[in-house]
Amino acid sequence: MSGFAVSEVGLEGGRVLLSATQLHKRFGDNEVLKGIDFDVPAGSVSVLIGPSGSGKTTVLRSLNGLELPDSGTVRIGDVSVDYGAQPTKKDVARLRAQSAMVFQGHNLFPHLTVLQNVTEGPLLVQRRPAGEVRTEALALLDRVGLASKAEQYPFQLSGGQQQRVGIARALALRPQLMLFDEPTSALDPELVGEVLAVMKDLAGEGWTMVVVTHEIRFAQSVADQVLFMDGGVVVESGPPEAVLENPQQPRTRTFLHRIL
Ligand code: ADP
């Protein structure tokens, strides 16, 4: 399936920030990605949906080199990695620096305060000046509603608060692209809303985001593009009104019937 046209997501003339081309990945005999293609325009939100095991997380991790596909190309901005051409660790590290990932949960450093969790990457990886990093981290914590928790430790926070720290920590890296891997799936239901609200705010501010989630209502209200994956391929993609409300492919319909 080829990449969608930029005009389809209502961002006519928008620059494509991310291009994934023909991503292939196998784990032993298990061919997990069978040629994944998609484009993400700058400032847009793409949501990956699909059954468990369809390859969504592997796609997301391939976008920032946490997983190394066997072949295919990922381009973010002006950094491109051709996984089939045996990229060096440095090439992959350059690609990784373009994006930041928010994980399912439990990914904060337990021995560091909330503030230290947010400043760790910019200080130790990016080696930016401490004063600037601290000021920016406090502003980011304020933005996710957690300024008052800066000196607390992760275990003192609810799961939803921890995920909001995870989002602040990712933003602190000043990425071009934010990746979210089922950010609410490990949360108690009553804590899901506060995390989705922060993500919705980011989308409104123009962040470019790729989100793996089962939260169909979030996809309906926030996504510019929904990609339905099954069996290692993108079966169907387009604006949420099309993919979620008027799916063309039987596999998409079956999946949506099952979860809605
Ligand atoms: P999804 O996110 O859609 O649930 P995943 O990308 O997590 O799908 O997984 C796709 C398939 O790849 C599954 O069959 C999973 O068991 C397999 N898989 C994922 N990561 C690994 C790994 N590191 N080693 C072996 N198999 C893996």
Side-chain angles (χ1 to χ4, degrees):
M1 184 160 187
S2 63
F4 70 105
V6 167
S7 57
E8 283 177 28
V9 293
L11 291 168
E12 215 150 337
R15 172 176 69 94
V16 171
L17 178 67
L18 161 71
S19 286
T21 311
Q22 279 301 298
L23 296 179
H24 287 263
K25 175 71 178 175
R26 58 169 64 242
F27 293 108
D29 288 343
N30 189 5
E31 192 179 9
V32 174
L33 304 183
K34 299 175 181 167
I36 300 289
D37 291 299
F38 64 97
D39 286 347
V40 173
S44 73
V45 177
S46 295
V47 171
L48 292 183
I49 60 168
S52 177
S54 57
K56 305 178 300 294
T57 293
T58 305
V59 167
L60 203 67
R61 291 169 64 84
S62 299
L63 299 180
N64 78 345
L66 279 177
E67 207 63 78
L68 301 178
D70 303 319
S71 61
T73 302
V74 173
R75 180 185 67 76
I76 302 175
D78 55 8
V79 178
S80 184
V81 166
D82 180 353
Y83 284 109
Q86 290 168 341
T88 63
K89 279 190 179 161
K90 207 171 151 194
D91 293 334
V92 176
R94 252 189 97 210
L95 180 70
R96 182 169 303 164
Q98 308 308 309
S99 64
M101 176 93 86
V102 177
F103 298 91
Q104 271 193 20
H106 314 297
N107 259 276
L108 300 179
F109 298 113
H111 59 291
L112 299 182
T113 65
V114 163
L115 180 62
Q116 287 167 337
N117 265 280
V118 178
T119 58
E120 167 100 358
L123 288 177
L124 298 188
V125 181
Q126 299 179 328
R127 304 200 173 277
R128 282 166 39 203
E132 166 197 301
V133 166
R134 183 187 157 83
T135 305
E136 200 169 300
L138 287 169
L140 287 169
L141 284 173
D142 191 36
R143 184 157 157 198
V144 299
L146 294 173
S148 65
K149 307 285 183 190
E151 299 307 329
Q152 298 203 350
Y153 286 85
F155 77 88
Q156 296 172 295
L157 272 52
S158 72
Q161 290 170 334
Q162 289 183 26
Q163 277 308 66
R164 282 147 63 197
V165 176
I167 293 172
R169 182 175 65 169
L171 292 170
L173 296 170
R174 296 181 172 174
Q176 295 200 63
L177 174 67
M178 286 285 285
L179 306 173
F180 295 83
D181 188 8
E182 299 196 26
T184 59
S185 62
L187 296 178
D188 291 335
E190 73 271 22
L191 303 178
V192 168
E194 65 190 69
V195 175
L196 294 181
V198 169
M199 293 168 63
K200 198 168 178 174
D201 284 349
L202 295 179
E205 289 168 18
W207 280 89
T208 312
M209 299 163 49
V210 180
V211 184
V212 173
T213 187
H214 296 291
E215 297 290 337
I216 296 296
R217 269 189 300 171
F218 174 83
Q220 271 165 338
S221 63
V222 179
D224 297 291
Q225 167 181 231
V226 176
L227 300 116
F228 169 68
M229 283 189 65
D230 194 14
V233 297
V234 177
V235 173
E236 185 162 359
S237 68
E241 314 80 85
V243 176
L244 301 176
E245 275 144 48
N246 189 18
Q248 299 300 303
Q249 300 297 325
R251 279 198 276 178
T252 318
R253 279 188 223 128
T254 306
F255 172 75
L256 290 171
H257 272 134
R258 241 188 297 142
I259 65 164
L260 289 178

